[in-house]
């Protein structure tokens, strides 16, 4: 079925005056904040914030789109959006059990950039670039420089997919696949659609949250333009991420017939609270997004201060179940290297 995509009115960005001019998503990437001093100054945070951020950003630099920074509350060092992106000294601690490759990616590699851990689906790491650097990310130590990017470089992965009839779904991941140009992604989608046993294409991206104008007509054209069923998994951790421009970007995906799911990570001080998780789910389902997974934090070096215990997480899910319809309660999961699926905690 060919689905007509909505016409492409520019999505308004955040309300602060300097962001009210819609810019192309590529420009939004270019003008993203990279300087800890600038982020701390904008948010009226003390100088100690700057010194800590500079020290902690050495091996994983700060990167925050202005559209996302505009949603943070000035003067609040505990803002749940800020905490996801601000480098802090606690990242330099390395408690036991927190490692560089906590989810066993190196062992699951089929060809460079192609991972398979689960039956029927394989994951293509399309790029190392993201539209934001999340401080808790399990890929913060991933050897991205070894990842091939561009359709020619993916040929080995495409051949491997073509040669394995058991694979029905390809996940485009990264990094963030939607940092790539639509022309590149369109070519990739066509090559994948030409493999008869593939049925679905799934895109994992934080762009709809970070730079909502990324969901434009060119993107919808390749995403819905092949015989493959399109699925987009967004990543919002806190209800305040879902403001009007973001909801409008999701609406464009909805209107184009794309199935949209959300995954979140359970993060101390950000969303380890039943009110926050309930409101996140309510806003998602109101916009026809299924709350798919709530992930237990992967134990990556530098992210220990975000960890919430499994017991506390399971208790939060029990409380959510007493308040929300079943479809609005995410599956609370963790990734255990070598397991045949993500393991359900609650
Ligand atoms: C998480 C993950 C998937 C997707 O798992 P689903 O349960 O299908 O969402 C697929 N491949 C890899 C390598 C993953 O890490
Ligand atoms: S967007 Fe995703 S892959 Fe990129 S830093 Fe954030 S969590 Fe990691």
């Amino acid at each position: 079925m060919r689905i007509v995509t909505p016409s492409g009115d520019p999505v308004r960005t955040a309300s602060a005056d300097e962001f009210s001019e819609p810019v192309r998503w590529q420009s939004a990437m270019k003008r993203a904040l990279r300087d800890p001093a600038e982020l701390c100054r904008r948010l009226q945070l003390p100088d100690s914030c700057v010194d800590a951020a500079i020290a902690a950003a050495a091996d994983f630099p700060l990167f925050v789109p202005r559209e996302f920074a505009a949603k943070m509350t000035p003067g609040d060092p505990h803002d749940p959006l800020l905490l996801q992106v601000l480098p802090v000294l606690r990242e330099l601690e390395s408690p036991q059990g927190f490692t560089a490759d906590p989810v066993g990616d190196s062992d699951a590699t089929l060809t460079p950039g192609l991972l398979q851990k689960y039956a029927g689906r394989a994951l293509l790491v399309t790029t190392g670039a993201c539209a934001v650097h999340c401080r808790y990310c399990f890929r913060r130590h991933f050897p991205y420089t070894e990842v091939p990017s561009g359709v020619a470089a993916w040929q080995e992965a495409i051949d491997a997919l073509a040669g394995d009839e058991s694979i029905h779904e390809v996940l485009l991941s990264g990094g963030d696949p939607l940092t790539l140009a639509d022309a590149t992604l369109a070519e990739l989608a066509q090559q994948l659609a030409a493999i008869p046993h593939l049925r679905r294409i799934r895109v994992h991206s934080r762009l709809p949250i970070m730079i909502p104008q990324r969901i434009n007509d060119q993107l919808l054209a390749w995403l819905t333009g092949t015989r493959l069923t399109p699925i987009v998994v967004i990543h919002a951790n806190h209800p305040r991420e879902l403001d009007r421009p973001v909801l409008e970007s999701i609406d464009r995906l909805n209107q184009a017939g794309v199935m949209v799911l959300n995954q979140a990570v359970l993060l101390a001080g950000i969303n380890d609270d039943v009110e926050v998780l309930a409101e996140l789910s309510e806003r998602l389902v109101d916009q026809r997004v299924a709350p798919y997974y709530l992930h237990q934090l992967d134990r990556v070096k530098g992210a220990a201060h975000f960890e919430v215990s499994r017991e506390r997480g399971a208790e939060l899910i029990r409380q959510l179940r007493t308040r929300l319809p079943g479809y609005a309660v995410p599956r609370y999961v963790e990734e255990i290297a070598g397991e045949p699926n993500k393991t359900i905690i609650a």
Side-chain angles (χ1 to χ4, degrees):
M1 183 174 52
R2 186 76 186 87
I3 294 153
V4 178
T5 59
S7 72
D9 295 334
V11 175
R12 262 182 307 101
T13 51
S15 55
D17 37 78
E18 71 202 281
F19 307 121
S20 58
E21 278 300 304
V23 296
R24 295 170 71 232
W25 71 267
Q26 294 92 337
S27 310
M29 286 287 287
K30 283 198 195 97
R31 67 173 193 177
L33 298 170
R34 297 155 195 266
D35 176 4
E38 193 182 351
L39 178 66
C40 295
R41 184 174 48 72
R42 276 175 178 278
L43 293 171
Q44 299 157 26
L45 298 172
D47 289 347
S48 56
C49 152
V50 183
D51 300 338
I54 291 170
D59 68 337
F60 188 50
L62 175 124
F63 190 91
V64 190
R66 287 167 193 262
E67 289 77 2
F68 192 66
K71 296 188 229 184
M72 299 171 189
T73 308
D76 180 5
H78 304 294
D79 182 279
L81 278 51
L82 174 69
L83 293 181
Q84 296 180 43
V85 299
L86 180 69
V88 296
L89 289 178
R90 289 167 78 190
E91 293 180 29
L92 304 176
E93 298 166 4
S94 47
Q96 275 242 314
F98 285 77
T99 64
D101 180 18
V103 293
D105 274 353
S106 323
D107 294 340
T109 301
L110 295 180
T111 70
L114 187 67
L115 307 179
Q116 186 177 17
K117 292 186 189 169
Y118 308 136
R121 53 237 198 259
L123 183 154
L124 185 60
V125 178
T126 51
T127 170
C130 284
V132 59
H133 286 179
C134 310
R135 306 313 300 178
Y136 52 83
C137 181
F138 77 97
R139 293 190 189 278
R140 56 183 289 162
H141 305 286
F142 195 83
Y144 281 122
T145 45
E146 296 165 24
V147 170
S149 201
V151 178
W154 295 323
Q155 200 54 55
E156 198 184 340
I158 292 166
D159 292 345
L161 291 167
D164 184 345
E165 289 189 6
S166 74
I167 297 177
H168 301 302
E169 179 168 341
V170 176
L171 284 73
L172 305 187
S173 182
D176 195 313
L178 298 188
T179 59
L180 295 169
D182 286 314
T184 307
L185 292 164
E187 203 181 329
L188 176 61
Q190 269 176 20
Q191 298 224 17
L192 294 174
I195 300 173
H197 51 267
L198 290 184
R199 299 157 69 141
R200 296 178 296 276
I201 183 168
R202 187 196 320 180
V203 177
H204 279 236
S205 178
R206 266 206 115 174
L207 258 301
I209 306 293
M210 292 295 148
I211 303 177
Q213 59 269 45
R214 177 67 185 93
I215 308 305
N216 59 17
D217 289 349
Q218 291 90 322
L219 178 145
L220 294 172
W222 65 260
L223 186 60
T224 64
T226 73
R227 63 174 187 84
L228 301 171
T229 299
I231 303 168
V232 170
V233 183
I234 61 172
H235 173 175
N237 297 314
H238 191 282
R240 278 196 16 228
E241 294 170 40
L242 300 166
D243 65 351
R244 199 158 156 222
V246 169
L247 295 175
E248 284 171 6
S249 86
I250 297 168
D251 191 46
R252 296 169 141 243
L253 291 165
N254 290 153
Q255 297 292 334
V258 177
M259 176 161 144
V260 187
L261 309 170
N262 184 63
Q263 54 179 348
V265 180
L266 183 59
L267 296 165
I270 294 172
N271 60 10
D272 57 339
D273 178 287
V274 69
E275 299 292 336
V276 170
L277 290 174
E279 181 59 19
L280 175 62
S281 276
E282 298 257 25
R283 281 200 204 180
L284 288 166
V285 296
D286 285 349
Q287 192 54 56
R288 288 176 271 167
V289 179
Y292 179 41
Y293 279 146
L294 177 66
H295 292 273
Q296 178 67 8
L297 182 83
D298 294 312
R299 303 194 95 192
V300 64
K301 209 160 160 267
H305 56 290
F306 287 115
E307 188 168 55
V308 177
S309 73
R310 284 173 186 69
E311 294 70 31
R312 172 81 186 129
E315 175 57 27
L316 287 166
I317 293 290
R318 272 193 292 277
Q319 291 175 17
L320 274 185
R321 274 206 189 99
T322 66
R323 299 169 55 136
L324 296 174
Y327 59 78
V329 180
R331 301 159 182 82
Y332 176 40
V333 295
E334 68 184 320
E335 189 150 344
I336 301 176
E339 289 295 311
N341 48 264
K342 299 204 199 293
T343 305
I344 305 270
I345 304 172

